[in-house]
Amino acid sequence: GVLLALLGGVLGRVEGALLLIALVAYIVLSYRAEVRARTAAKDWRVEEVAELTQGQPGVYGAGLMVVGGVLGLVVGGQWLVDGASQIARAAGVSDAAIGLTVVAIGTSLPELATCVVASLRGDDDVALGNAVGSNVFNILLICGVAPFVRPLEVSQELMVSAGVLLLATAGFAVVVWKRPCLERRDGAVLIGAYVALVALLYVVGS
């Protein structure tokens, strides 16, 4: 859907509205799927919540941790993006390449940290759910809201990245559907694909 929205060369309000509608549909379908999955045989959710909250700070302490974490992410992310962007611009890299590499990595660090911590604790659903959910919201919500501020022009580099995103998403869906476990080799393939995309972007933008 996003690739089709970008084909016109401009991401306008109509395309943004369609993406927001798709986001609402995604939330509704996800909620209905969760409701259908709630059965008496799945009381493990209660046990899992109790296990995760055992020995953790109370509501006020957790609230302070959330606020402090968000502030740290905002400040740290701003420093990372500003500093890396200045270095990239000094090296003659295009704005699209900066946004798809430096800025994307900087804004993805919270998801990466969450996935690593969740994986170390054995919370696989949290790790994968965080990665998939954050990307769905980033694409549908941000790309849906931004055009209402100002229509966005789509460059050739962004079209290349959108095509790669489509292929990567389809490949990831096939892997998860075929096998119940995402292994290290799968992660290596995904990282390699990203490195190849970055190299392609620098070739296209040069």
Side-chain angles (χ1 to χ4, degrees):
V2 177
L3 185 59
L4 293 176
L6 298 177
L7 287 178
V10 177
L11 192 63
R13 291 181 174 86
V14 175
E15 292 82 2
L18 293 175
L19 293 177
L20 292 177
I21 292 173
L23 175 62
V24 173
Y26 166 76
I27 295 174
V28 172
L29 291 175
S30 298
Y31 175 76
R32 289 183 175 178
E34 174 65 18
V35 170
R36 286 195 298 267
R38 291 176 184 171
T39 62
K42 293 195 174 183
D43 289 337
W44 55 266
R45 285 187 176 88
V46 178
E47 298 177 0
E48 184 178 22
V49 171
E51 181 181 350
L52 290 175
T53 56
Q54 186 177 5
Q56 298 298 319
V59 175
Y60 295 106
L64 290 175
M65 291 173 64
V66 169
V67 173
V70 170
L71 291 176
L73 288 174
V74 172
V75 175
Q78 186 67 40
W79 288 350
L80 172 66
V81 171
D82 288 347
S85 296
Q86 290 180 12
I87 295 175
R89 291 181 190 277
V93 181
S94 67
D95 290 341
I98 293 174
L100 292 165
T101 55
V102 176
V103 178
I105 293 173
T107 55
S108 297
L109 288 179
E111 286 82 7
L112 177 60
T114 301
C115 286
V116 170
V117 172
S119 297
L120 291 175
R121 293 182 177 180
D123 299 326
D124 297 340
D125 286 343
V126 174
L128 287 176
N130 166 71
V132 174
S134 63
N135 280 281
V136 171
F137 270 80
N138 281 338
I139 293 173
L140 298 181
L141 180 61
I142 296 177
C143 291
V145 172
F148 285 93
V149 178
R150 184 178 64 84
L152 306 176
E153 295 185 4
V154 182
S155 66
Q156 182 181 3
E157 293 161 286
L158 290 175
M159 286 299 302
V160 171
S161 299
V164 173
L165 173 63
L166 180 62
L167 294 175
T169 302
F172 179 78
V174 170
V175 170
V176 174
W177 181 58
K178 290 290 186 180
R179 291 189 283 112
C181 181
L182 193 65
E183 301 177 355
R184 288 184 175 89
R185 61 181 179 181
D186 302 316
V189 170
L190 293 173
I191 294 174
Y194 178 75
V195 173
L197 171 62
V198 172
L200 179 61
L201 289 176
Y202 278 86
V203 171
V204 173
S206 60

